[in-house]
Amino acid sequence: MTAAISVRGLTVRLDGNLIVDGVDLDVAEGEWVTVIGPNGAGKSTALRAIGGLLPHDGEIHWHGTPIARLHRRERAKAIATVMQSPVVPPAMGVYDYVLLGRTPYIPPLGRESASDLAVVDEVLAALDLEPFAGRRLDTLSGGERQRVFLARALTQGAGILLLDEPTSALDIGHQQEVLELVDRLRAERGLTVLATMHDLSTAGEYADRMILLAGGRVVASGTPAEVLTEANLAEHYRVRVRVIDGEHGPLVVAVRGNPNATV
Ligand code: ADP
Ligand code: MG
């Protein structure tokens, strides 16, 4: 089966520094793959490159088609990206911001159609954001704003969602709310999800497969149980952890002490 997204030899240099170094990954249609790794590992950079937001070397295929062959609009209809802290005009209204997701469907110099507005209404309803439609973005809480970012990405109508730490600004309750929402949308709409996440236990609960990135390279990949091992985490995060069997995957708990000591 052709992967929804297939990445080979992804390499990104920023200011002459090698930040992403030959990354290979595949995400099957409908699958949820989460990239983890210590701060500075290159997770955001890799995701931005896959989303077409950074120049890079290597090959990215979308359902077998080289993504470089897609026009910008076609690419936006295929892949929607939610960056970690999107820059938004603070005075912008929620409705107008979510409508921006329809940009690839609106002809140059044209206006949005009734069907574009219908998509916005439908997404706002699906994400329980109708009460916020008339609010300014800068009046929202972190959790509300995160749902609005997701709404903008969903109105893009893309089958692939790239999410860079979608829950890092949220408390544990709102984290779960957003992740459950993404998972529900994935089931209902057949979305494919490639995310980066910080919280390892939570990452493992939602991902079908995980990729551990360190120093710009893939150092482990597989099921959450295969990646979230005490040895992998000690080596790449320099932390002593205990991994416990949880209901939905391994639960990772940091344990005080020197990671290099033999206990
Ligand atoms: P992560 O998301 O895994 O924390 P990033 O992809 O944000 O990591 O960053 C990876 C590395 O790239 C970091 O060491 C960061 O300092 C570096 N970096 C990011 N942007 C630039 C830049 N414009 N020039 C040089 N280095 C950069
Ligand atoms: Mg990052």
Side-chain angles (χ1 to χ4, degrees):
M1 198 182 79
T2 317
I5 280 277
S6 169
V7 173
R8 288 293 171 276
L10 181 71
T11 299
V12 183
R13 286 185 184 78
L14 297 175
D15 291 339
N17 300 310
L18 187 59
I19 307 295
V20 176
D21 184 7
V23 164
D24 295 346
L25 65 88
D26 289 295
V27 190
E29 189 166 4
E31 194 178 27
W32 182 325
V33 173
T34 296
V35 180
I36 58 166
N39 288 333
K43 304 181 296 295
S44 296
T45 306
L47 215 64
R48 286 169 66 206
I50 295 168
L53 307 172
L54 273 184
H56 56 82
D57 289 325
E59 306 234 318
I60 302 172
H61 284 78
W62 169 74
H63 292 286
T65 302
I67 223 161
R69 243 191 253 158
L70 300 179
H71 292 292
R72 207 151 57 103
R73 285 166 167 268
E74 300 312 311
R75 184 190 276 230
K77 291 176 189 174
I79 303 178
T81 308
V82 181
M83 283 298 107
Q84 204 169 341
S85 338
V87 179
V88 296
M92 194 171 214
V94 167
Y95 193 92
D96 286 342
Y97 181 73
V98 175
L99 181 59
L100 286 179
R102 298 305 293 172
T103 308
Y105 299 86
I106 300 171
L109 306 178
R111 282 193 61 81
E112 62 274 8
S113 67
S115 75
D116 293 316
L117 301 179
V119 171
V120 173
D121 290 338
E122 190 230 303
V123 170
L124 288 175
L127 272 60
D128 290 325
L129 283 169
E130 286 157 316
F132 301 96
R135 291 264 293 273
R136 280 168 50 138
L137 286 170
D138 58 1
T139 67
L140 303 180
S141 75
E144 292 157 359
R145 205 168 9 226
Q146 197 64 43
R147 292 212 319 270
V148 170
F149 294 153
L150 202 55
R152 193 199 57 80
L154 290 174
T155 60
Q156 230 170 289
I160 296 171
L161 270 186
L162 305 184
L163 305 174
D164 195 7
E165 299 205 16
T167 56
S168 56
L170 308 181
D171 65 52
I172 193 167
H174 286 100
Q175 278 187 20
Q176 193 169 68
E177 187 183 291
V178 166
L179 295 172
E180 287 294 330
L181 176 65
V182 172
D183 203 42
R184 197 189 81 211
L185 295 166
R186 177 170 76 120
E188 289 173 3
R189 303 179 179 215
L191 296 179
T192 301
V193 179
L194 177 61
T196 73
M197 277 171 64
H198 224 67
D199 184 285
L200 301 173
S201 303
T202 310
E205 280 191 298
Y206 288 89
D208 297 314
R209 283 186 305 117
M210 300 179 91
I211 288 168
L212 173 55
L213 207 64
R217 292 168 175 260
V218 175
V219 293
S221 67
T223 62
E226 286 164 345
V227 173
L228 295 177
T229 64
E230 292 176 4
N232 277 343
L233 301 175
E235 180 177 353
H236 298 290
Y237 284 82
R238 313 207 66 74
V239 66
R240 223 176 117 212
V241 296
R242 200 64 2 115
V243 177
I244 302 161
D245 276 339
E247 205 180 325
H248 301 285
L251 300 176
V252 180
V253 185
V255 182
R256 187 173 170 181
N258 180 351
N260 300 317
T262 48
V263 175

